[in-house]
Amino acid sequence: MEIYLVGGAVRDGRLGIPVKDRDWVVVGATPEAMKQKGFRQVGANFPVFLHPKTGEEYALARTERKQGRGYHGFTVYSAPDVTLEEDLKRRDLTINAMAEHEDGTLVDPFNGLADLEQKTLRHVSEAFAEDPLRILRTARFAARFHPLGFTICADTMALMREMISSGELEHLVPERVWQEVQRALHEKSPTVFFKVLHDLGALDILMPELANTERFEAGLQALQCISTQDSTTAQRFAALLSALPEPEASARATAMKSPNDCRDLARLLCLLTGWLSQYNGADLPPENVLDMFDQADLWRRPERFELLLATLTCTPQQQHVQPLKLAAESAQGVSPQALLKQGFKGKELGNAIRNERLARITQALAP
Ligand code: CTP
């Protein structure tokens, strides 16, 4: 049996950037031979094994044929006669389809190295079209390598457009789309991911609320700003959706099955930006500020409120961040315990807390 390093590790090694995971392909072996060497099989019917010591993935060379639509229905064929080249041919991009022999020799039948040097993202073969997730992966690699000057070549853009117009994206389950979106939000240039999808017409299907040019531009601007900071996925997602009316942002987050913290921050940010947009240059009414603090549950979720304001600094409503911050700090100082000690109880206690908070907010917002 012959063992080769493949995929991202070869690509990143040649780019001179740190290698995260190493994946290996084994040619000329059987599952039995692997198990004899102490490898553990990952799934009963899938020819992937874990190394007994390193835990790294070793896959038997395989070919894949698609039978159904979308992400289902792949028939995997692996046998000792499957060649390395056949295995590389089923892969997505040429820069991901290089292999390195244990002795360091590069095996590169699809000219991945030349594409790496020319900073081109190019599909390996027509088999690219068998997996619609690759549209998102390609956009994500464009986002990751944008600072290095990489672009997607015209042929691959054309192939992805064909895939989209034949309805392939509709077969992706929300979980897989979210996984790619989440990763993309943390790539080096996350806005490039969404620009590519917009350009391809994929956003009309995946996030139609965002396809409108004005909202899209505003969302990208906010995302660009927040992604230059050490920000969370929820902040980046909320920034992206920040120009949407709140019901649409909430509905999209739910449909995409984004985690609760992402959905909630997006919802709150859209409520906030929508509400604040009425007060450009004007003072904020303290009553409404208090209602907003209640809605955001400032009292029990102060850390989330901080993330919310940090994200608001990346929107056109950023002028309100400082006053809101001061008002929040001041209102948080109200002590329910102290009011209890003064003898307030039940509904009266609630009213007293509210009045005290309102007084402090009014004072903090006073010019
Ligand atoms: N691959 C593919 N099509 C997919 C997923 C993966 O062709 N839909 C292939 C690519 O050759 C890829 C390899 O499987 O290089 C490993 O996939 P993965 O670990 O997801 O990506 P990496 O290229 O290693 O990138 P990352 O740095 O994001 O881990």
Side-chain angles (χ1 to χ4, degrees):
M1 69 173 77
E2 299 278 348
I3 298 177
Y4 299 86
L5 185 63
V6 282
V10 179
R11 175 197 70 218
D12 291 346
R14 298 279 158 164
L15 280 173
I17 58 182
V19 170
K20 279 180 278 134
D21 301 320
R22 294 197 301 173
D23 295 316
W24 306 86
V25 162
V26 185
V27 181
T30 59
E32 293 67 40
M34 296 299 284
K35 284 185 224 161
Q36 260 173 22
K37 286 187 177 270
F39 284 85
R40 279 174 294 125
Q41 188 155 7
V42 173
N45 299 314
F46 206 61
V48 177
F49 299 82
L50 299 180
H51 190 281
K53 292 223 176 71
T54 63
E56 290 176 345
E57 275 191 11
Y58 286 68
L60 298 188
R62 65 177 189 262
T63 56
E64 285 174 355
R65 280 286 137 64
K66 198 166 87 156
Q67 303 231 295
R69 287 178 75 87
Y71 209 68
H72 310 284
F74 274 100
T75 335
V76 172
Y77 174 76
S78 84
D81 65 341
V82 175
T83 64
L84 178 62
E85 183 163 338
E86 282 170 327
D87 181 287
L88 296 175
K89 190 171 177 188
R90 70 170 169 85
R91 292 172 184 265
D92 53 3
L93 301 172
T94 61
I95 63 164
N96 292 338
M98 297 184 279
E100 220 171 78
H101 192 260
E102 282 170 307
D103 67 13
T105 327
L106 187 72
V107 183
D108 183 20
F110 304 103
N111 301 317
L113 191 59
D115 282 337
L116 210 59
E117 280 159 3
Q118 284 154 27
K119 303 180 193 303
T120 301
L121 301 171
R122 185 195 312 277
H123 62 284
V124 172
S125 75
E126 297 301 311
F128 180 96
E130 295 184 352
D131 178 2
L133 195 75
R134 289 173 169 174
I135 296 171
L136 297 174
R137 280 175 59 88
T138 302
R140 188 159 61 74
F141 283 113
R144 181 183 303 180
F145 294 134
H146 177 77
L148 300 178
F150 276 77
T151 52
I152 304 169
C153 79
D155 288 353
T156 302
M157 287 296 280
L159 177 61
M160 293 195 290
R161 284 202 176 92
E162 265 174 48
M163 290 165 71
I164 293 164
S165 58
S166 66
E168 281 294 321
L169 281 178
E170 273 121 86
H171 299 278
L172 283 176
V173 296
E175 288 82 356
R176 297 199 71 100
V177 174
W178 175 258
Q179 193 181 22
E180 289 299 321
V181 167
Q182 189 266 333
R183 286 182 187 163
L185 288 170
H186 290 277
E187 295 291 2
K188 287 253 166 24
S189 302
T191 57
V192 170
F193 175 80
F194 297 99
K195 276 185 203 153
V196 169
L197 295 183
H198 190 245
D199 205 18
L200 289 169
L203 225 44
D204 297 305
I205 295 151
L206 299 173
M207 304 178 81
E209 301 80 0
L210 207 61
N212 161 300
T213 308
E214 215 173 295
R215 293 174 178 186
F216 179 70
E217 297 291 338
L220 283 208
Q221 223 171 351
L223 174 60
Q224 173 60 32
C225 163
I226 200 74
S227 65
T228 58
Q229 302 170 24
D230 180 16
S231 46
T232 64
T233 307
Q235 285 183 289
R236 290 166 186 233
F237 184 60
L240 177 69
L241 300 188
S242 60
L244 265 54
E246 181 274 326
E248 288 185 46
S250 293
R252 179 47 44 201
T254 304
M256 292 183 81
K257 299 200 176 169
S258 64
N260 291 349
D261 66 324
C262 294
R263 188 200 54 210
D264 291 346
L265 201 70
R267 179 178 64 81
L268 289 173
L269 185 67
C270 292
L271 270 180
L272 190 56
T273 52
W275 174 63
L276 288 172
S277 61
Q278 315 166 52
Y279 298 106
N280 277 337
D283 293 341
L284 302 174
E287 287 267 1
N288 298 9
V289 170
L290 179 55
D291 288 344
M292 216 278 301
F293 289 172
D294 283 340
Q295 281 217 44
D297 202 3
L298 165 67
W299 328 111
R300 283 185 304 174
R301 306 293 306 273
E303 323 79 33
R304 183 179 67 184
F305 192 81
E306 242 176 73
L307 295 181
L308 180 64
L309 285 193
T311 317
L312 188 67
T313 57
C314 286
T315 72
Q317 271 70 49
Q318 47 146 311
Q319 84 229 33
H320 297 293
V321 171
Q322 207 45 31
L324 285 176
K325 198 179 241 169
L326 291 176
E329 276 164 12
S330 180
Q332 279 173 297
V334 174
S335 158
Q337 277 77 18
L339 290 167
L340 248 174
K341 272 192 198 147
Q342 285 174 37
F344 290 103
K345 275 200 242 57
K347 199 163 183 275
E348 283 193 348
L349 176 64
N351 286 339
I353 295 172
R354 189 175 166 85
N355 289 339
E356 183 73 17
R357 282 172 177 163
L358 191 59
R360 292 190 184 214
I361 291 170
T362 307
Q363 198 180 24
L365 293 176

